């Protein structure tokens, strides 16, 4: 069963607008972590933001924020004030279990920022 | 630069040849992970090390794949008797041991098997 679902294969956003990339996950663990990574065309995976399952507040990192709804098992990424350089693949990932070796990625969403 | 490094960045080989990739993690990171990423997909976990110990290798794709981290620093991933289906990006990541810590990825090695 797929553990990370990203239902938007592709998204378009106008420069300077905000965009939300969806991510839902499936786990029976109480302790887990959720991540978002950006992968530009160069191929390198760039860490953006982390949310722990016990964190009470939504994570924020600059223009990135994570809309964490635990009961719905969703962890959507919000990018504010989109820039042309934000055009890339975005992957949602989950780390479950206390040993941290089970790290699962979603299929990704390709974001295109339009001038 | 103290990030994760991988060599080579690109490798083209003929079917049936063996290839070896190297990953140098961030120096204070004792956990090291290997992933494979095929076109249009997210990374797929292959194996991981804590220091020199390989703690998970059941997800390696076949017995043609093996990985080592002999001194707990750099790691190598070897693919023997390559097949065209092995063509992919191979990513390495490292992190500290703490559960809450983030994995940081290297630039990857793109393998093309002709």
């Amino acid at each position: 069963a797929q553990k990370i679902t990203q239902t938007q294969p592709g998204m378009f956003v106008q420069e300077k607008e905000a965009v939300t990339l969806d991510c839902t996950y499936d786990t029976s663990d109480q302790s887990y972590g959720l991540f978002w990574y950006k992968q530009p065309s160069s191929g390198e995976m760039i860490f953006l933001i982390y949310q722990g399952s016990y964190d009470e507040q939504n994570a924020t990192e600059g223009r990135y924020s994570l809309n964490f709804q635990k009961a719905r098992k969703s962890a959507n990424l919000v990018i504010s004030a989109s820039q042309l350089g934000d055009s890339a693949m975005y992957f949602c990932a989950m780390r479950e279990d206390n040993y941290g070796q089970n790290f699962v990625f979603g299929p990704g969403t390709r974001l295109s920022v339009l001038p | 630069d103290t990030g994760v490094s991988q060599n080579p960045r690109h490798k083209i080989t003929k079917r049936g040849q063996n290839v070896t990739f190297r990953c140098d993690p961030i120096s204070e990171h004792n956990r090291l992970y290997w992933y494979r990423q095929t076109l249009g997909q997210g990374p797929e976990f292959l194996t991981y090390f804590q220091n020199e110990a390989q703690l998970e290798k059941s997800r390696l794709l076949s017995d043609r794949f093996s990985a080592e981290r002999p001194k707990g620093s750099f790691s190598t991933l070897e693919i023997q008797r390559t097949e065209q289906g092995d063509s992919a990006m191979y990513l390495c990541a490292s992190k500290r041991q703490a559960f809450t810590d983030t994995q940081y990825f290297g630039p990857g090695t793109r393998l093309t098997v002709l």
Side-chain angles (χ1 to χ4, degrees), chain A residues 31 35 37 39 44-45 47 91 95 97 99-103 105-106, chain B residues 31 33 35 37 41-43 45 48 59 99-103 105:
Chain A
S31 181
F35 302 78
Y37 285 86
Q39 189 176 42
E44 187 166 356
M45 298 285 285
F47 165 71
F91 292 96
R95 180 195 58 222
D97 78 57
Y99 297 99
Q101 73 267 27
N102 193 6
F103 206 88
F105 282 81
Chain B
R31 289 196 172 182
Y33 300 75
Y35 293 84
Q37 186 179 22
Q41 302 295 320
F45 170 76
Y48 99 105
R59 311 263 286 273
F99 176 70
T100 56
D101 284 341
T102 298
Q103 291 189 14
F105 282 80

PDB file of all heavy atoms in Angstrom, chain A residues 31 35 37 39 44-45 47 91 95 97 99-103 105-106, chain B residues 31 33 35 37 41-43 45 48 59 99-103 105:
ATOM      1  N   SER A  31       4.836   7.858  16.410  1.00  0.00           N
ATOM      2  CA  SER A  31       5.984   8.749  16.267  1.00  0.00           C
ATOM      3  C   SER A  31       6.511   8.654  14.842  1.00  0.00           C
ATOM      4  O   SER A  31       6.945   7.590  14.397  1.00  0.00           O
ATOM      5  CB  SER A  31       7.073   8.349  17.268  1.00  0.00           C
ATOM      6  OG  SER A  31       8.173   9.208  17.148  1.00  0.00           O
ATOM      7  N   PHE A  35       8.588  15.247   5.856  1.00  0.00           N
ATOM      8  CA  PHE A  35       9.577  16.108   5.214  1.00  0.00           C
ATOM      9  C   PHE A  35       9.070  16.534   3.846  1.00  0.00           C
ATOM     10  O   PHE A  35       8.331  15.802   3.182  1.00  0.00           O
ATOM     11  CB  PHE A  35      10.893  15.354   5.001  1.00  0.00           C
ATOM     12  CG  PHE A  35      11.518  14.806   6.242  1.00  0.00           C
ATOM     13  CD1 PHE A  35      11.036  13.639   6.823  1.00  0.00           C
ATOM     14  CD2 PHE A  35      12.594  15.436   6.829  1.00  0.00           C
ATOM     15  CE1 PHE A  35      11.618  13.117   7.976  1.00  0.00           C
ATOM     16  CE2 PHE A  35      13.184  14.928   7.964  1.00  0.00           C
ATOM     17  CZ  PHE A  35      12.694  13.775   8.537  1.00  0.00           C
ATOM     18  N   TYR A  37      11.019  17.842   0.255  1.00  0.00           N
ATOM     19  CA  TYR A  37      12.261  18.084  -0.464  1.00  0.00           C
ATOM     20  C   TYR A  37      11.925  18.685  -1.813  1.00  0.00           C
ATOM     21  O   TYR A  37      10.901  18.373  -2.424  1.00  0.00           O
ATOM     22  CB  TYR A  37      13.032  16.782  -0.687  1.00  0.00           C
ATOM     23  CG  TYR A  37      13.733  16.242   0.544  1.00  0.00           C
ATOM     24  CD1 TYR A  37      13.052  15.429   1.445  1.00  0.00           C
ATOM     25  CD2 TYR A  37      15.069  16.523   0.782  1.00  0.00           C
ATOM     26  CE1 TYR A  37      13.694  14.920   2.564  1.00  0.00           C
ATOM     27  CE2 TYR A  37      15.719  16.022   1.896  1.00  0.00           C
ATOM     28  CZ  TYR A  37      15.025  15.221   2.783  1.00  0.00           C
ATOM     29  OH  TYR A  37      15.668  14.719   3.889  1.00  0.00           O
ATOM     30  N   GLN A  39      13.489  19.117  -5.715  1.00  0.00           N
ATOM     31  CA  GLN A  39      14.481  18.567  -6.634  1.00  0.00           C
ATOM     32  C   GLN A  39      14.449  19.359  -7.935  1.00  0.00           C
ATOM     33  O   GLN A  39      13.600  19.129  -8.795  1.00  0.00           O
ATOM     34  CB  GLN A  39      14.245  17.086  -6.896  1.00  0.00           C
ATOM     35  CG  GLN A  39      15.384  16.423  -7.672  1.00  0.00           C
ATOM     36  CD  GLN A  39      15.180  14.929  -7.841  1.00  0.00           C
ATOM     37  OE1 GLN A  39      14.080  14.468  -8.128  1.00  0.00           O
ATOM     38  NE2 GLN A  39      16.257  14.154  -7.669  1.00  0.00           N
ATOM     39  N   GLU A  44      19.674  17.367  -7.536  1.00  0.00           N
ATOM     40  CA  GLU A  44      19.965  17.277  -6.109  1.00  0.00           C
ATOM     41  C   GLU A  44      18.695  17.460  -5.292  1.00  0.00           C
ATOM     42  O   GLU A  44      17.882  18.320  -5.574  1.00  0.00           O
ATOM     43  CB  GLU A  44      20.995  18.316  -5.710  1.00  0.00           C
ATOM     44  CG  GLU A  44      21.465  18.182  -4.284  1.00  0.00           C
ATOM     45  CD  GLU A  44      22.722  18.984  -4.004  1.00  0.00           C
ATOM     46  OE1 GLU A  44      23.264  19.577  -4.957  1.00  0.00           O
ATOM     47  OE2 GLU A  44      23.169  18.996  -2.854  1.00  0.00           O
ATOM     48  N   MET A  45      18.521  16.652  -4.271  1.00  0.00           N
ATOM     49  CA  MET A  45      17.390  16.757  -3.361  1.00  0.00           C
ATOM     50  C   MET A  45      17.726  17.776  -2.280  1.00  0.00           C
ATOM     51  O   MET A  45      18.690  17.610  -1.541  1.00  0.00           O
ATOM     52  CB  MET A  45      17.099  15.400  -2.703  1.00  0.00           C
ATOM     53  CG  MET A  45      16.720  14.308  -3.656  1.00  0.00           C
ATOM     54  SD  MET A  45      15.050  14.490  -4.272  1.00  0.00           S
ATOM     55  CE  MET A  45      14.132  13.970  -2.850  1.00  0.00           C
ATOM     56  N   PHE A  47      16.539  19.723   1.080  1.00  0.00           N
ATOM     57  CA  PHE A  47      15.621  19.692   2.213  1.00  0.00           C
ATOM     58  C   PHE A  47      14.966  21.062   2.388  1.00  0.00           C
ATOM     59  O   PHE A  47      15.628  22.098   2.351  1.00  0.00           O
ATOM     60  CB  PHE A  47      16.376  19.313   3.479  1.00  0.00           C
ATOM     61  CG  PHE A  47      15.612  19.584   4.747  1.00  0.00           C
ATOM     62  CD1 PHE A  47      14.515  18.804   5.072  1.00  0.00           C
ATOM     63  CD2 PHE A  47      15.972  20.620   5.587  1.00  0.00           C
ATOM     64  CE1 PHE A  47      13.800  19.048   6.230  1.00  0.00           C
ATOM     65  CE2 PHE A  47      15.271  20.864   6.739  1.00  0.00           C
ATOM     66  CZ  PHE A  47      14.178  20.083   7.058  1.00  0.00           C
ATOM     67  N   PHE A  91       8.911  16.690  -3.398  1.00  0.00           N
ATOM     68  CA  PHE A  91       8.606  15.372  -2.845  1.00  0.00           C
ATOM     69  C   PHE A  91       8.260  15.482  -1.371  1.00  0.00           C
ATOM     70  O   PHE A  91       8.977  16.128  -0.595  1.00  0.00           O
ATOM     71  CB  PHE A  91       9.800  14.421  -2.993  1.00  0.00           C
ATOM     72  CG  PHE A  91      10.108  14.049  -4.414  1.00  0.00           C
ATOM     73  CD1 PHE A  91      11.073  14.722  -5.139  1.00  0.00           C
ATOM     74  CD2 PHE A  91       9.409  13.019  -5.027  1.00  0.00           C
ATOM     75  CE1 PHE A  91      11.349  14.380  -6.446  1.00  0.00           C
ATOM     76  CE2 PHE A  91       9.684  12.665  -6.336  1.00  0.00           C
ATOM     77  CZ  PHE A  91      10.654  13.346  -7.050  1.00  0.00           C
ATOM     78  N   ARG A  95       9.281   9.559   7.576  1.00  0.00           N
ATOM     79  CA  ARG A  95      10.153   8.649   8.306  1.00  0.00           C
ATOM     80  C   ARG A  95       9.339   8.107   9.468  1.00  0.00           C
ATOM     81  O   ARG A  95       8.818   8.857  10.282  1.00  0.00           O
ATOM     82  CB  ARG A  95      11.394   9.366   8.812  1.00  0.00           C
ATOM     83  CG  ARG A  95      12.354   8.466   9.577  1.00  0.00           C
ATOM     84  CD  ARG A  95      13.361   9.272  10.348  1.00  0.00           C
ATOM     85  NE  ARG A  95      12.697  10.162  11.263  1.00  0.00           N
ATOM     86  CZ  ARG A  95      13.055  11.416  11.463  1.00  0.00           C
ATOM     87  NH1 ARG A  95      14.082  11.932  10.827  1.00  0.00           N
ATOM     88  NH2 ARG A  95      12.402  12.166  12.305  1.00  0.00           N
ATOM     89  N   ASP A  97       8.991   4.756  12.446  1.00  0.00           N
ATOM     90  CA  ASP A  97       9.689   3.870  13.382  1.00  0.00           C
ATOM     91  C   ASP A  97      10.805   4.586  14.122  1.00  0.00           C
ATOM     92  O   ASP A  97      11.375   5.561  13.662  1.00  0.00           O
ATOM     93  CB  ASP A  97      10.191   2.572  12.740  1.00  0.00           C
ATOM     94  CG  ASP A  97      11.450   2.735  11.917  1.00  0.00           C
ATOM     95  OD1 ASP A  97      12.479   3.197  12.438  1.00  0.00           O
ATOM     96  OD2 ASP A  97      11.392   2.393  10.740  1.00  0.00           O
ATOM     97  N   TYR A  99      13.749   3.771  14.743  1.00  0.00           N
ATOM     98  CA  TYR A  99      15.127   3.614  14.303  1.00  0.00           C
ATOM     99  C   TYR A  99      15.445   4.493  13.111  1.00  0.00           C
ATOM    100  O   TYR A  99      16.576   4.647  12.723  1.00  0.00           O
ATOM    101  CB  TYR A  99      15.413   2.142  13.986  1.00  0.00           C
ATOM    102  CG  TYR A  99      15.270   1.266  15.200  1.00  0.00           C
ATOM    103  CD1 TYR A  99      14.109   0.542  15.427  1.00  0.00           C
ATOM    104  CD2 TYR A  99      16.291   1.190  16.139  1.00  0.00           C
ATOM    105  CE1 TYR A  99      13.972  -0.244  16.559  1.00  0.00           C
ATOM    106  CE2 TYR A  99      16.160   0.412  17.272  1.00  0.00           C
ATOM    107  CZ  TYR A  99      15.006  -0.300  17.473  1.00  0.00           C
ATOM    108  OH  TYR A  99      14.879  -1.074  18.581  1.00  0.00           O
ATOM    109  N   GLY A 100      14.395   5.057  12.516  1.00  0.00           N
ATOM    110  CA  GLY A 100      14.627   6.053  11.470  1.00  0.00           C
ATOM    111  C   GLY A 100      15.114   5.526  10.157  1.00  0.00           C
ATOM    112  O   GLY A 100      15.568   6.287   9.320  1.00  0.00           O
ATOM    113  N   GLN A 101      15.038   4.198   9.938  1.00  0.00           N
ATOM    114  CA  GLN A 101      15.558   3.733   8.660  1.00  0.00           C
ATOM    115  C   GLN A 101      14.473   3.577   7.621  1.00  0.00           C
ATOM    116  O   GLN A 101      14.768   3.377   6.458  1.00  0.00           O
ATOM    117  CB  GLN A 101      16.286   2.381   8.823  1.00  0.00           C
ATOM    118  CG  GLN A 101      15.388   1.181   9.063  1.00  0.00           C
ATOM    119  CD  GLN A 101      15.212   0.931  10.532  1.00  0.00           C
ATOM    120  OE1 GLN A 101      15.306   1.817  11.340  1.00  0.00           O
ATOM    121  NE2 GLN A 101      14.940  -0.313  10.882  1.00  0.00           N
ATOM    122  N   ASN A 102      13.226   3.656   8.030  1.00  0.00           N
ATOM    123  CA  ASN A 102      12.159   3.497   7.053  1.00  0.00           C
ATOM    124  C   ASN A 102      11.740   4.875   6.564  1.00  0.00           C
ATOM    125  O   ASN A 102      11.015   5.599   7.235  1.00  0.00           O
ATOM    126  CB  ASN A 102      10.980   2.768   7.685  1.00  0.00           C
ATOM    127  CG  ASN A 102      10.004   2.306   6.636  1.00  0.00           C
ATOM    128  OD1 ASN A 102      10.258   2.438   5.442  1.00  0.00           O
ATOM    129  ND2 ASN A 102       8.882   1.784   7.069  1.00  0.00           N
ATOM    130  N   PHE A 103      12.247   5.245   5.433  1.00  0.00           N
ATOM    131  CA  PHE A 103      12.072   6.593   4.906  1.00  0.00           C
ATOM    132  C   PHE A 103      11.438   6.442   3.537  1.00  0.00           C
ATOM    133  O   PHE A 103      12.048   5.921   2.621  1.00  0.00           O
ATOM    134  CB  PHE A 103      13.448   7.255   4.809  1.00  0.00           C
ATOM    135  CG  PHE A 103      13.428   8.744   4.890  1.00  0.00           C
ATOM    136  CD1 PHE A 103      13.489   9.386   6.110  1.00  0.00           C
ATOM    137  CD2 PHE A 103      13.386   9.510   3.743  1.00  0.00           C
ATOM    138  CE1 PHE A 103      13.489  10.756   6.190  1.00  0.00           C
ATOM    139  CE2 PHE A 103      13.379  10.895   3.820  1.00  0.00           C
ATOM    140  CZ  PHE A 103      13.443  11.532   5.048  1.00  0.00           C
ATOM    141  N   PHE A 105       9.251   8.032   0.195  1.00  0.00           N
ATOM    142  CA  PHE A 105       8.945   9.228  -0.587  1.00  0.00           C
ATOM    143  C   PHE A 105       7.653   9.039  -1.370  1.00  0.00           C
ATOM    144  O   PHE A 105       7.310   7.927  -1.789  1.00  0.00           O
ATOM    145  CB  PHE A 105      10.078   9.504  -1.583  1.00  0.00           C
ATOM    146  CG  PHE A 105      11.282  10.132  -0.975  1.00  0.00           C
ATOM    147  CD1 PHE A 105      12.223   9.368  -0.316  1.00  0.00           C
ATOM    148  CD2 PHE A 105      11.491  11.499  -1.055  1.00  0.00           C
ATOM    149  CE1 PHE A 105      13.342   9.942   0.256  1.00  0.00           C
ATOM    150  CE2 PHE A 105      12.606  12.088  -0.496  1.00  0.00           C
ATOM    151  CZ  PHE A 105      13.531  11.309   0.166  1.00  0.00           C
ATOM    152  N   GLY A 106       6.979  10.149  -1.610  1.00  0.00           N
ATOM    153  CA  GLY A 106       5.844  10.152  -2.515  1.00  0.00           C
ATOM    154  C   GLY A 106       6.314  10.272  -3.947  1.00  0.00           C
ATOM    155  O   GLY A 106       7.510  10.410  -4.212  1.00  0.00           O
TER     156      GLY A 106
ATOM    157  N   ARG B  31      24.963   8.112  10.060  1.00  0.00           N
ATOM    158  CA  ARG B  31      24.050   7.286   9.269  1.00  0.00           C
ATOM    159  C   ARG B  31      24.150   7.670   7.798  1.00  0.00           C
ATOM    160  O   ARG B  31      24.207   8.862   7.468  1.00  0.00           O
ATOM    161  CB  ARG B  31      22.610   7.451   9.749  1.00  0.00           C
ATOM    162  CG  ARG B  31      22.388   6.787  11.107  1.00  0.00           C
ATOM    163  CD  ARG B  31      20.942   6.600  11.395  1.00  0.00           C
ATOM    164  NE  ARG B  31      20.745   5.799  12.602  1.00  0.00           N
ATOM    165  CZ  ARG B  31      19.578   5.450  13.077  1.00  0.00           C
ATOM    166  NH1 ARG B  31      18.483   5.827  12.463  1.00  0.00           N
ATOM    167  NH2 ARG B  31      19.489   4.735  14.176  1.00  0.00           N
ATOM    168  N   TYR B  33      22.629   6.553   3.811  1.00  0.00           N
ATOM    169  CA  TYR B  33      21.542   5.883   3.102  1.00  0.00           C
ATOM    170  C   TYR B  33      21.827   5.897   1.604  1.00  0.00           C
ATOM    171  O   TYR B  33      22.359   6.876   1.070  1.00  0.00           O
ATOM    172  CB  TYR B  33      20.215   6.617   3.333  1.00  0.00           C
ATOM    173  CG  TYR B  33      19.781   6.699   4.777  1.00  0.00           C
ATOM    174  CD1 TYR B  33      20.387   7.581   5.659  1.00  0.00           C
ATOM    175  CD2 TYR B  33      18.736   5.908   5.253  1.00  0.00           C
ATOM    176  CE1 TYR B  33      19.979   7.655   6.979  1.00  0.00           C
ATOM    177  CE2 TYR B  33      18.312   5.995   6.564  1.00  0.00           C
ATOM    178  CZ  TYR B  33      18.941   6.871   7.425  1.00  0.00           C
ATOM    179  OH  TYR B  33      18.530   6.947   8.733  1.00  0.00           O
ATOM    180  N   TYR B  35      19.711   5.392  -2.121  1.00  0.00           N
ATOM    181  CA  TYR B  35      18.414   5.351  -2.769  1.00  0.00           C
ATOM    182  C   TYR B  35      18.622   5.205  -4.269  1.00  0.00           C
ATOM    183  O   TYR B  35      19.635   5.631  -4.816  1.00  0.00           O
ATOM    184  CB  TYR B  35      17.638   6.660  -2.551  1.00  0.00           C
ATOM    185  CG  TYR B  35      17.210   6.922  -1.140  1.00  0.00           C
ATOM    186  CD1 TYR B  35      18.078   7.514  -0.227  1.00  0.00           C
ATOM    187  CD2 TYR B  35      15.923   6.594  -0.708  1.00  0.00           C
ATOM    188  CE1 TYR B  35      17.676   7.768   1.073  1.00  0.00           C
ATOM    189  CE2 TYR B  35      15.509   6.851   0.585  1.00  0.00           C
ATOM    190  CZ  TYR B  35      16.404   7.433   1.470  1.00  0.00           C
ATOM    191  OH  TYR B  35      16.004   7.683   2.753  1.00  0.00           O
ATOM    192  N   GLN B  37      16.526   6.332  -7.843  1.00  0.00           N
ATOM    193  CA  GLN B  37      15.427   7.125  -8.348  1.00  0.00           C
ATOM    194  C   GLN B  37      15.343   6.951  -9.857  1.00  0.00           C
ATOM    195  O   GLN B  37      16.270   7.296 -10.585  1.00  0.00           O
ATOM    196  CB  GLN B  37      15.600   8.614  -8.003  1.00  0.00           C
ATOM    197  CG  GLN B  37      14.396   9.455  -8.391  1.00  0.00           C
ATOM    198  CD  GLN B  37      14.557  10.907  -8.028  1.00  0.00           C
ATOM    199  OE1 GLN B  37      15.660  11.402  -7.857  1.00  0.00           O
ATOM    200  NE2 GLN B  37      13.443  11.615  -7.892  1.00  0.00           N
ATOM    201  N   GLN B  41       9.823   9.294 -10.733  1.00  0.00           N
ATOM    202  CA  GLN B  41       9.454   8.683  -9.461  1.00  0.00           C
ATOM    203  C   GLN B  41      10.212   9.333  -8.310  1.00  0.00           C
ATOM    204  O   GLN B  41      11.229  10.001  -8.509  1.00  0.00           O
ATOM    205  CB  GLN B  41       9.780   7.189  -9.472  1.00  0.00           C
ATOM    206  CG  GLN B  41       9.097   6.406 -10.580  1.00  0.00           C
ATOM    207  CD  GLN B  41       7.602   6.381 -10.437  1.00  0.00           C
ATOM    208  OE1 GLN B  41       7.070   6.243  -9.332  1.00  0.00           O
ATOM    209  NE2 GLN B  41       6.888   6.548 -11.540  1.00  0.00           N
ATOM    210  N   GLY B  42       9.705   9.098  -7.100  1.00  0.00           N
ATOM    211  CA  GLY B  42      10.443   9.512  -5.926  1.00  0.00           C
ATOM    212  C   GLY B  42      11.552   8.531  -5.624  1.00  0.00           C
ATOM    213  O   GLY B  42      11.562   7.408  -6.135  1.00  0.00           O
ATOM    214  N   PRO B  43      12.512   8.926  -4.810  1.00  0.00           N
ATOM    215  CA  PRO B  43      13.594   8.007  -4.432  1.00  0.00           C
ATOM    216  C   PRO B  43      13.069   6.765  -3.745  1.00  0.00           C
ATOM    217  O   PRO B  43      12.114   6.820  -2.968  1.00  0.00           O
ATOM    218  CB  PRO B  43      14.436   8.857  -3.479  1.00  0.00           C
ATOM    219  CG  PRO B  43      14.144  10.269  -3.846  1.00  0.00           C
ATOM    220  CD  PRO B  43      12.699  10.271  -4.259  1.00  0.00           C
ATOM    221  N   PHE B  45      14.213   3.655  -1.304  1.00  0.00           N
ATOM    222  CA  PHE B  45      15.238   3.270  -0.336  1.00  0.00           C
ATOM    223  C   PHE B  45      15.859   1.923  -0.698  1.00  0.00           C
ATOM    224  O   PHE B  45      15.157   0.970  -1.043  1.00  0.00           O
ATOM    225  CB  PHE B  45      14.597   3.195   1.053  1.00  0.00           C
ATOM    226  CG  PHE B  45      15.462   2.586   2.117  1.00  0.00           C
ATOM    227  CD1 PHE B  45      16.496   3.309   2.673  1.00  0.00           C
ATOM    228  CD2 PHE B  45      15.233   1.302   2.556  1.00  0.00           C
ATOM    229  CE1 PHE B  45      17.288   2.748   3.659  1.00  0.00           C
ATOM    230  CE2 PHE B  45      16.017   0.732   3.545  1.00  0.00           C
ATOM    231  CZ  PHE B  45      17.045   1.458   4.100  1.00  0.00           C
ATOM    232  N   TYR B  48      20.926   1.087   4.335  1.00  0.00           N
ATOM    233  CA  TYR B  48      21.506   2.142   5.151  1.00  0.00           C
ATOM    234  C   TYR B  48      22.520   1.581   6.139  1.00  0.00           C
ATOM    235  O   TYR B  48      22.495   0.391   6.477  1.00  0.00           O
ATOM    236  CB  TYR B  48      20.427   2.975   5.831  1.00  0.00           C
ATOM    237  CG  TYR B  48      20.108   2.648   7.270  1.00  0.00           C
ATOM    238  CD1 TYR B  48      20.541   3.479   8.292  1.00  0.00           C
ATOM    239  CD2 TYR B  48      19.340   1.542   7.585  1.00  0.00           C
ATOM    240  CE1 TYR B  48      20.223   3.211   9.612  1.00  0.00           C
ATOM    241  CE2 TYR B  48      19.021   1.252   8.903  1.00  0.00           C
ATOM    242  CZ  TYR B  48      19.464   2.097   9.910  1.00  0.00           C
ATOM    243  OH  TYR B  48      19.146   1.818  11.218  1.00  0.00           O
ATOM    244  N   ARG B  59      16.180  -4.411   1.243  1.00  0.00           N
ATOM    245  CA  ARG B  59      15.531  -3.679   0.161  1.00  0.00           C
ATOM    246  C   ARG B  59      16.462  -3.487  -1.041  1.00  0.00           C
ATOM    247  O   ARG B  59      16.064  -2.843  -2.011  1.00  0.00           O
ATOM    248  CB  ARG B  59      15.055  -2.330   0.680  1.00  0.00           C
ATOM    249  CG  ARG B  59      14.279  -2.447   1.984  1.00  0.00           C
ATOM    250  CD  ARG B  59      12.806  -2.462   1.826  1.00  0.00           C
ATOM    251  NE  ARG B  59      12.286  -1.163   1.497  1.00  0.00           N
ATOM    252  CZ  ARG B  59      11.958  -0.238   2.375  1.00  0.00           C
ATOM    253  NH1 ARG B  59      12.123  -0.454   3.662  1.00  0.00           N
ATOM    254  NH2 ARG B  59      11.477   0.915   1.982  1.00  0.00           N
ATOM    255  N   PHE B  99      16.669  10.677  16.035  1.00  0.00           N
ATOM    256  CA  PHE B  99      15.451  10.399  15.275  1.00  0.00           C
ATOM    257  C   PHE B  99      14.946  11.616  14.544  1.00  0.00           C
ATOM    258  O   PHE B  99      14.462  11.546  13.418  1.00  0.00           O
ATOM    259  CB  PHE B  99      14.385   9.868  16.224  1.00  0.00           C
ATOM    260  CG  PHE B  99      13.059   9.639  15.559  1.00  0.00           C
ATOM    261  CD1 PHE B  99      12.906   8.603  14.652  1.00  0.00           C
ATOM    262  CD2 PHE B  99      11.976  10.447  15.831  1.00  0.00           C
ATOM    263  CE1 PHE B  99      11.683   8.383  14.028  1.00  0.00           C
ATOM    264  CE2 PHE B  99      10.747  10.230  15.224  1.00  0.00           C
ATOM    265  CZ  PHE B  99      10.597   9.201  14.320  1.00  0.00           C
ATOM    266  N   THR B 100      15.054  12.769  15.158  1.00  0.00           N
ATOM    267  CA  THR B 100      14.449  13.960  14.562  1.00  0.00           C
ATOM    268  C   THR B 100      15.315  14.597  13.484  1.00  0.00           C
ATOM    269  O   THR B 100      14.876  15.533  12.832  1.00  0.00           O
ATOM    270  CB  THR B 100      14.180  15.014  15.650  1.00  0.00           C
ATOM    271  OG1 THR B 100      15.415  15.286  16.329  1.00  0.00           O
ATOM    272  CG2 THR B 100      13.161  14.515  16.651  1.00  0.00           C
ATOM    273  N   ASP B 101      16.513  14.081  13.307  1.00  0.00           N
ATOM    274  CA  ASP B 101      17.393  14.752  12.356  1.00  0.00           C
ATOM    275  C   ASP B 101      17.018  14.452  10.914  1.00  0.00           C
ATOM    276  O   ASP B 101      16.472  13.398  10.585  1.00  0.00           O
ATOM    277  CB  ASP B 101      18.846  14.372  12.613  1.00  0.00           C
ATOM    278  CG  ASP B 101      19.393  15.092  13.826  1.00  0.00           C
ATOM    279  OD1 ASP B 101      18.805  16.114  14.229  1.00  0.00           O
ATOM    280  OD2 ASP B 101      20.398  14.631  14.373  1.00  0.00           O
ATOM    281  N   THR B 102      17.385  15.390  10.064  1.00  0.00           N
ATOM    282  CA  THR B 102      17.020  15.343   8.654  1.00  0.00           C
ATOM    283  C   THR B 102      18.105  14.664   7.843  1.00  0.00           C
ATOM    284  O   THR B 102      19.291  14.778   8.150  1.00  0.00           O
ATOM    285  CB  THR B 102      16.818  16.774   8.153  1.00  0.00           C
ATOM    286  OG1 THR B 102      15.755  17.346   8.886  1.00  0.00           O
ATOM    287  CG2 THR B 102      16.508  16.823   6.672  1.00  0.00           C
ATOM    288  N   GLN B 103      17.697  13.977   6.793  1.00  0.00           N
ATOM    289  CA  GLN B 103      18.656  13.446   5.825  1.00  0.00           C
ATOM    290  C   GLN B 103      19.054  14.547   4.854  1.00  0.00           C
ATOM    291  O   GLN B 103      18.199  15.291   4.372  1.00  0.00           O
ATOM    292  CB  GLN B 103      18.046  12.302   5.018  1.00  0.00           C
ATOM    293  CG  GLN B 103      17.796  11.060   5.810  1.00  0.00           C
ATOM    294  CD  GLN B 103      17.391   9.902   4.930  1.00  0.00           C
ATOM    295  OE1 GLN B 103      17.544   9.938   3.717  1.00  0.00           O
ATOM    296  NE2 GLN B 103      16.888   8.851   5.536  1.00  0.00           N
ATOM    297  N   PHE B 105      21.005  15.095   1.197  1.00  0.00           N
ATOM    298  CA  PHE B 105      21.318  14.308   0.010  1.00  0.00           C
ATOM    299  C   PHE B 105      22.524  14.859  -0.737  1.00  0.00           C
ATOM    300  O   PHE B 105      22.773  16.074  -0.756  1.00  0.00           O
ATOM    301  CB  PHE B 105      20.126  14.286  -0.946  1.00  0.00           C
ATOM    302  CG  PHE B 105      19.041  13.347  -0.527  1.00  0.00           C
ATOM    303  CD1 PHE B 105      18.130  13.709   0.452  1.00  0.00           C
ATOM    304  CD2 PHE B 105      18.932  12.090  -1.094  1.00  0.00           C
ATOM    305  CE1 PHE B 105      17.126  12.839   0.859  1.00  0.00           C
ATOM    306  CE2 PHE B 105      17.934  11.213  -0.702  1.00  0.00           C
ATOM    307  CZ  PHE B 105      17.031  11.590   0.273  1.00  0.00           C
TER     308      PHE B 105
END
